[in-house]
Amino acid sequence: MTLNISIIYGSTREGRLGIKFAKYLYKEFNKRGNNSNLIDPLELKLNPLVKRYADFEKGSAPKTLEQTHNLLTQSDAFVIVSGEYNHFIPPALVNLLNHFYDEYQKKPSAVTTYSVSPFGGVRVSTPLRAFLAQLGMPPISSMLHAPFVGKNFNEEGERISNDIEERHKEFEKFANELEWYANALKTARNQ
């Protein structure tokens, strides 16, 4: 079954490197026959949360919120791409995710993290997984971490590391699990 998968990236910092990893995930999920979209808070230019999408009168939400609402509503699964800011979730990602709620319900999420260090942002996984569960998009058990993100991906989102084959096996396991849950929950939601 073809799935709609939203890749949600969480940084607005100048010189951000994680966008390379987000582009990689976008391309890889599309190669598997899914319809992926990349949601980038830098392009959305959302103000700090004052009013959630649901708080606007029908038809009065800003255009970027309306478009993002539509993408999220049509999504069958979410891949969250997060750096680690002081062992926690980047503020831009928290702000973006908190603008919505109903759009996430009963759809799986997957945690992917990155960093310029050998840890790959792994420490943000725990608070991020708890946050996603609270939002109603339960995280799958598999996670994907990208250490040395600036050296292992190019600007086009292609993996350029020496261990491409091994990393591709990790991605396949991760993607298989997310797609399984997305298909199962999509079937259940359609009943």
Side-chain angles (χ1 to χ4, degrees):
M1 191 179 327
T2 299
L3 296 167
N4 295 317
I5 299 176
S6 285
I7 313 297
I8 304 174
Y9 179 54
S11 177
T12 55
R13 279 186 173 171
E14 193 172 308
R16 61 202 186 138
L17 296 173
I19 193 68
K20 298 176 180 184
F21 184 42
K23 288 178 182 178
Y24 163 79
L25 294 164
Y26 167 81
K27 288 180 174 187
E28 290 300 313
F29 276 104
N30 278 336
K31 284 181 194 174
R32 293 173 62 90
N34 298 298
N35 297 320
S36 300
N37 60 73
L38 179 56
I39 298 174
D40 182 348
L42 191 61
E43 291 178 8
L44 296 177
K45 297 180 179 16
L46 294 175
N47 292 324
L49 181 60
V50 174
K51 238 176 146 174
R52 296 169 301 159
Y53 173 79
D55 297 331
F56 287 90
E57 294 289 326
K58 187 170 176 76
S60 70
K63 185 178 178 181
T64 55
L65 271 185
E66 191 67 46
Q67 291 171 335
T68 306
H69 159 77
N70 291 334
L71 286 173
L72 296 174
T73 299
Q74 295 166 10
S75 294
D76 299 306
F78 308 99
V79 177
I80 311 302
V81 185
S82 180
E84 179 182 308
Y85 289 23
N86 300 313
H87 298 217
F88 204 68
I89 308 164
L93 181 57
V94 172
N95 187 53
L96 168 59
L97 292 173
N98 274 329
H99 272 84
F100 304 96
Y101 184 75
D102 291 339
E103 297 83 351
Y104 307 132
Q105 301 309 299
K106 298 181 178 84
K107 300 174 185 177
S109 64
V111 171
T112 65
T113 64
Y114 63 89
S115 73
V116 296
S117 74
F119 299 112
V122 71
R123 291 177 292 220
V124 74
S125 299
T126 300
L128 185 54
R129 289 170 60 80
F131 182 45
L132 297 175
Q134 185 62 38
L135 287 173
M137 55 172 133
I140 63 169
S141 62
S142 291
M143 292 183 281
L144 205 58
H145 307 290
F148 304 112
V149 70
K151 296 177 185 176
N152 289 321
F153 299 90
N154 65 21
E155 295 297 325
E156 290 75 43
E158 297 162 339
R159 185 176 277 285
I160 54 174
S161 58
N162 294 331
D163 56 353
I164 291 175
E165 190 173 314
E166 184 62 31
R167 298 295 170 218
H168 188 68
K169 287 179 187 173
E170 288 176 2
F171 172 79
E172 289 293 310
K173 177 184 178 288
F174 171 82
N176 285 339
E177 183 177 345
L178 180 63
E179 290 168 354
W180 188 93
Y181 278 99
N183 279 310
L185 290 173
K186 183 177 184 174
T187 300
R189 286 193 313 274
N190 291 332
Q191 292 179 349

